[in-house]
């Protein structure tokens, strides 16, 4: 499994072309305000990850002060919420189960906030897989992993179960979270009352244009 950083629409188009040629299969996490689900093929496996963008108060403080270490610390604290850990873990687990590579995507205009590098560093710190650039991936390079595939899968499954219990402790249903981080068609499958509960975590993150 590879973890690939995609930081502009041109690179995203390259990955889509790789898929169309049958030379690779990918899971996409859209950590972007500007790149939407509609920019990817309908059959692509996508997690709507706008919640992975630093909250606006954290970004504003960084832009006002320029204090990168504080910014990184506050953003990683945001990423450490059990809801977010669960969705990242689930996406990694799905990639391993289906033999896919993972692309974490943002737009070129979002690079000034530097969160893509911090996000992939956070994943490396917590899951032991190092992100690579698309250029390195195309050259045949692989993401380094601290664990072999079987051991890594064991870790993902164990962590998944622990996170489900943590979510239960704070009154969050894991399945509802997953539906709300996926395609609009999946969200529509939920009972309206269940869907409302699931969307509470994502309130303010998504609107019609995100799809």
């Amino acid at each position: 499994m590879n973890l690939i950083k995609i930081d502009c629409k041109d690179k995203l188009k390259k990955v889509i072309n790789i898929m169309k040629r049958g030379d690779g299969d990918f899971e996409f996490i859209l950590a972007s305000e500007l790149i939407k689900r509609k920019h990817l093929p309908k059959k692509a496996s996508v997690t709507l990850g706008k919640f992975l963008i630093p909250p606006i108060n954290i970004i504003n403080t960084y832009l006002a002060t320029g204090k990168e270490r504080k910014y990184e610390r506050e953003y990683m604290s945001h990423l450490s919420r059990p809801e977010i850990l669960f969705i990242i873990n689930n996406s990694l687990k799905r990639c391993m189960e289906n033999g896919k590579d993972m692309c974490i995507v943002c737009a070129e205009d979002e690079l000034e906030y530097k969160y893509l590098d911090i996000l992939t560093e956070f994943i490396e710190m917590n899951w032991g897989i190092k992100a690579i650039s698309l250029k390195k991936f195309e050259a045949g390079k692989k993401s380094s992993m601290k664990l072999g595939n079987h051991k890594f899968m064991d870790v993902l499954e164990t962590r998944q179960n622990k996170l489900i219990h943590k979510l239960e402790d704070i009154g969050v249903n894991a399945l509802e979270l997953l539906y709300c981080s996926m395609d609009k068609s999946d969200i529509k499958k939920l009972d309206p009352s269940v869907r409302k509960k699931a969307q509470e975590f994502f309130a303010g993150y998504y609107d019609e244009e995100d799809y």
Side-chain angles (χ1 to χ4, degrees):
M1 176 190 158
N2 294 296
L3 179 64
I4 307 164
K5 292 191 287 187
I6 304 296
D7 56 15
C8 68
K9 286 184 178 180
D10 286 343
K11 291 179 183 178
L12 181 59
K13 289 177 182 177
K14 284 187 178 182
V15 175
I16 292 170
N17 287 333
I18 291 171
M19 289 178 63
K20 289 180 176 178
R21 295 196 306 265
D23 294 332
D25 202 0
F26 305 91
E27 173 91 16
F28 296 90
I29 296 183
L30 304 185
S32 176
E33 293 267 8
L34 304 175
I35 297 177
K36 314 292 186 181
R37 175 65 182 89
K38 63 187 177 184
H39 293 132
L40 288 127
K42 289 183 178 179
K43 293 183 178 180
S45 181
V46 178
T47 296
L48 301 173
K50 197 191 290 187
F51 50 89
L52 295 173
I53 298 172
I56 190 65
N57 62 307
I58 294 177
I59 288 178
N60 285 341
T61 300
Y62 167 61
L63 293 176
T65 65
K67 295 181 178 178
E68 292 192 2
R69 289 189 179 181
K70 181 181 180 183
Y71 176 57
E72 181 177 337
R73 186 170 61 252
E74 290 180 346
Y75 177 39
M76 285 194 174
S77 177
H78 168 74
L79 294 174
S80 297
R81 294 175 60 176
E83 300 98 325
I84 295 176
L85 292 174
F86 175 77
I87 292 172
I88 294 174
N89 192 83
N90 184 74
S91 295
L92 291 168
K93 183 171 175 286
R94 194 161 58 238
C95 284
M96 291 295 295
E97 289 172 339
N98 297 310
K100 295 184 178 184
D101 295 314
M102 178 184 286
C103 294
I104 299 187
V105 184
C106 77
E108 189 171 6
D109 288 345
E110 295 167 317
L111 290 177
E112 65 176 303
Y113 306 123
K114 302 182 180 180
Y115 65 83
L116 189 63
D117 287 339
I118 300 173
L119 173 57
T120 52
E121 181 185 347
F122 179 82
I123 292 174
E124 182 179 359
M125 289 169 55
N126 285 275
W127 285 274
I129 178 168
K130 187 175 181 63
I132 58 174
S133 65
L134 179 60
K135 184 177 181 179
K136 288 184 177 180
F137 174 78
E138 291 180 306
K141 303 291 184 181
K142 301 288 185 181
S143 289
S144 61
M145 297 174 62
K146 289 184 178 179
L147 302 173
N149 286 343
H150 292 296
K151 183 64 176 177
F152 185 48
M153 192 65 193
D154 288 342
V155 169
L156 291 171
E157 289 177 346
T158 299
R159 183 167 292 181
Q160 191 88 331
N161 291 329
K162 289 181 178 178
L163 286 168
I164 287 172
H165 290 307
K166 282 188 177 181
L167 292 172
E168 289 175 349
D169 289 342
I170 61 174
V172 176
N173 183 289
L175 182 59
E176 294 169 1
L177 275 180
L178 291 179
Y179 268 106
C180 275
S181 66
M182 293 182 181
D183 294 355
K184 193 175 183 180
S185 59
D186 288 329
I187 296 173
K188 286 183 176 179
K189 295 174 186 177
L190 287 172
D191 177 87
S193 62
V194 177
R195 184 169 64 244
K196 184 177 179 181
K197 291 180 182 178
Q199 289 172 328
E200 288 178 359
F201 171 67
F202 297 97
Y205 283 111
Y206 297 122
D207 54 36
E208 291 294 318
E209 289 300 315
D210 290 313
Y211 301 97

